[in-house]
Amino acid sequence: MAGKRTGPNLSKIAEALGVSSATVSNALSGKGRVSADLVKKIRKKAGEMGYVPSRAGRALRTGRSGVLGLVLPDIGNPLFPQIAQAMERAAATNDYGVLIADSRDDVTTQTDAIGRLIERGVDGLIVIPRRGTRIGTVGCPVAMIDTPSTPGNTVSADHWQAGEQIARHLMELGHKNILLLGNDPASNVQNDRIGGMKAAFKRDISCQTLWLQPLLRKGGTAASLNLSERISQGVSAIATVSDLLALRVLTELQTAGFQVPTQVSVTGFDDLIFSPVISPALTTVRMNMSQIANIAVAALIDEINGNRDPKPKTSLQKKRTVPDTVMADTSRVPMELIIRSSTGPAPFDQTPHSNGETL
Amino acid sequence: MAGKRTGPNLSKIAEALGVSSATVSNALSGKGRVSADLVKKIRKKAGEMGYVPSRAGRALRTGRSGVLGLVLPDIGNPLFPQIAQAMERAAATNDYGVLIADSRDDVTTQTDAIGRLIERGVDGLIVIPRRGTRIGTVGCPVAMIDTPSTPGNTVSADHWQAGEQIARHLMELGHKNILLLGNDPASNVQNDRIGGMKAAFKRDISCQTLWLQPLLRKGGTAASLNLSERISQGVSAIATVSDLLALRVLTELQTAGFQVPTQVSVTGFDDLIFSPVISPALTTVRMNMSQIANIAVAALIDEINGNRDPKPKTSLQKKRTVPDTVMADTSRVPMELIIRSSTGPAPFDQTPHSNGETL
DNA sequence: CTGAAAGCGCTTACAG
DNA sequence: CTGAAAGCGCTTACAG
């Protein structure tokens, strides 16, 4: 049952119309080598017969699979749903399919995952790189979704600018002593976010940056952050690098008896699924995933088509001089600040001990 | 650059060895029609030459794409990462790829998504159905991931039994007045979870079930649940139907000044990404996704192979009498209770007003 | 504007 | 055990 074509093929249509299958092919693909009348007639017939082109046949002939591969460092990433959804839509709009592969947060597995995709003949690759990974030349165009500061060819949200937005929002609320909280100091994205925040702070803002993961690695717990103490020392806002981290902080503060945002404001990044529904809802910043996906997919398709070898039938392919991963342009897409109730005015009796590192 | 095979093909190997490509094919596929010596020699040569079979060629010839389609009602579903990851692994292990399609929580789009996948020639479909949807015959085997109570052919976690586990856990902690909180009363999964909990409660347990979504639809807010009031009336545990709902309740309670679990216990379902890291961490129940994925993929592959038409070359396919979606068996996989700090002993001074519906 | 022919790479009866 | 041949469905130079 599986497999074995059920519907008609090109020759069936050609037969039914008394024309050649070449003509049917040309008519259907709209390359314009067929008279308008014939095109219309063929299209009509194809519709009536319920013709569905065979991807396999086309793929074998053209050497293109019509499929893009999506590689994720860790599919468990809470942003993955948004990414996958956006990519699938962008691809489908361009008549491409999306094959997935996850790499379990492991460089070796990432290589495997890419290999599996390449073997399946994907025409291009979208990769959200594991931090620190450089994708070598893989034999097909690659678009990376990361940060503009990643060396290579990327489309991404403008994490830096988003950091600035968060920072300005907090400053406008009157916060002067702010704790910046990151998770992984090796992450480009997180560094950009923190960098943007720092850059936007004025001279009179006191801020300190903490990274959670190294602390945890050294056997510490989240408690080692001493949040309560810091707040009593004057911190009135905690700006984290992700909603997950913000949620962690928020619930910890609440458990410790603090009121958010009355006593402390908390911000996140990414607008994850839970962010709008928790109490208080998270002030955060959202990326326009579909825009990013559209750019990435468009860049890929451009390259798939544009860089085609001028003499496709020559047995010796001209050695490409441009690396496969070069995208037309490194694009950065602005993020959108979403103000919700986890941020509020700085408490009035704020005592700026200014014991943090000052910018 | 994209497309156009780069490596050697079967004939190249055949040529290099002075044998026929048929023999190379047979040797490589291990169908056993070739002498052991030759097989070894061919395999070696193929390895040396870096031979990678062309999926397109194979697909065209066999009518099989080697790809499974994964359809999700809403890719935004927080469980999606786990599902996708598990499916991809299970498929990859069996040398299948996974093509994704989301259906934006919309029945029409679900049909479109399935259509797109079918057009791409997937050999089988894994669908997490939108609630209430029945997938018609689509021309390829379908495995549904839902609950055993869904009419049709499903693999799933045993949500009912998981509900029982949660209920027993709460009873063991001494809770006697429990609020059951669902989101969507039309969801089979949620009804199973609630049903399981109710079934496990003993006579002396007072419990009431509330559904959030209908409330919200009627313009109510989460506040309409009157959680504080219910707690003061004796509710000592709130058992929700998902971690997302549990998180919502938890943060709301915390905001209202309640201590969890000292004053109220809260439970969820699914062990979402945030569940272990919030404070208090969520007691929940986890499904073994990879097991579910393995069963689904195995069932699909079985059907793809097993139900093959006995005479593949006959132009007239024998009409199948068995619907395509029948799976070998409806399987249910047990879920695992994960006890964390959001549940604790019932408060001592519990005053069971028993104003709820009693089982 | 239209058609005949070749060929993408593979697998599978079939014959030897 | 091995090979010659056909054919899956498509597209693309090429010739007319």
Side-chain angles (χ1 to χ4, degrees), chain A residues 255-314:
Chain A
T255 299
F258 287 96
Q259 287 291 335
V260 177
T262 332
Q263 293 173 274
V264 220
S265 286
V266 175
T267 66
F269 256 96
D270 287 343
D271 196 25
L272 298 185
I273 185 136
F274 55 78
S275 304
V277 302
I278 61 178
S279 165
L282 269 182
T283 289
T284 188
V285 98
R286 169 167 46 197
M287 42 178 131
N288 189 333
M289 265 304 174
S290 55
Q291 200 181 341
I292 293 177
N294 285 335
I295 294 176
V297 169
L300 238 30
I301 294 181
D302 255 25
E303 213 184 324
I304 292 170
N305 295 325
N307 285 337
R308 220 175 335 173
D309 203 307
K311 294 173 180 173
K313 283 302 185 184
T314 311

Side-chain angles (χ1 to χ4, degrees), chain B residues 71-143:
Chain B
V71 186
L72 294 119
D74 177 19
I75 250 177
N77 184 325
L79 255 184
F80 174 57
Q82 287 185 44
I83 300 176
Q85 182 173 54
M87 293 298 168
E88 200 263 330
R89 291 209 90 69
T93 303
N94 292 279
D95 203 29
Y96 273 81
V98 175
L99 220 35
I100 58 172
D102 83 301
S103 60
R104 304 224 144 180
D105 224 351
D106 174 324
V107 186
T108 317
T109 326
Q110 176 171 291
T111 311
D112 291 355
I114 293 179
R116 256 177 283 153
L117 256 17
I118 296 289
E119 256 191 60
R120 289 215 124 67
V122 296
D123 295 336
L125 236 34
I126 298 155
V127 3
I128 290 81
R130 199 190 114 74
R131 55 157 234 271
T133 316
R134 202 79 129 271
I135 312 291
T137 304
V138 290
C140 78
V142 175

Side-chain angles (χ1 to χ4, degrees), chain B residues 5 8-9 14 31-32 41 129 137 139 154 165 183 242 265 295 315 329 338 352 355:
Chain B
R5 191 175 187 76
N9 57 19
K31 292 255 167 58
K41 202 156 52 161
T137 304
T154 60
Q165 286 190 66
N183 190 43
S242 96
S265 286
I295 294 176
S315 68
D329 238 327
I338 300 167
N355 62 333

Side-chain angles (χ1 to χ4, degrees), chain A residues 177-198:
Chain A
N177 194 337
I178 299 170
L179 180 66
L180 267 27
L181 188 56
N183 189 42
D184 179 359
S187 151
N188 287 324
V189 168
Q190 293 181 35
N191 274 298
D192 269 21
R193 290 172 174 189
I194 294 228
M197 293 198 270
K198 280 185 172 170

Side-chain angles (χ1 to χ4, degrees), chain A residues 5 10 25 51 54 57-58 61:
Chain A
R5 191 177 186 74
L10 276 189
S25 173
Y51 170 69
S54 154
R58 184 178 296 169
R61 173 63 226 231

Side-chain angles (χ1 to χ4, degrees), chain B residues 137-152:
Chain B
T137 304
V138 290
C140 78
V142 175
M144 304 228 278
I145 315 293
D146 198 10
T147 90
S149 21
T150 298

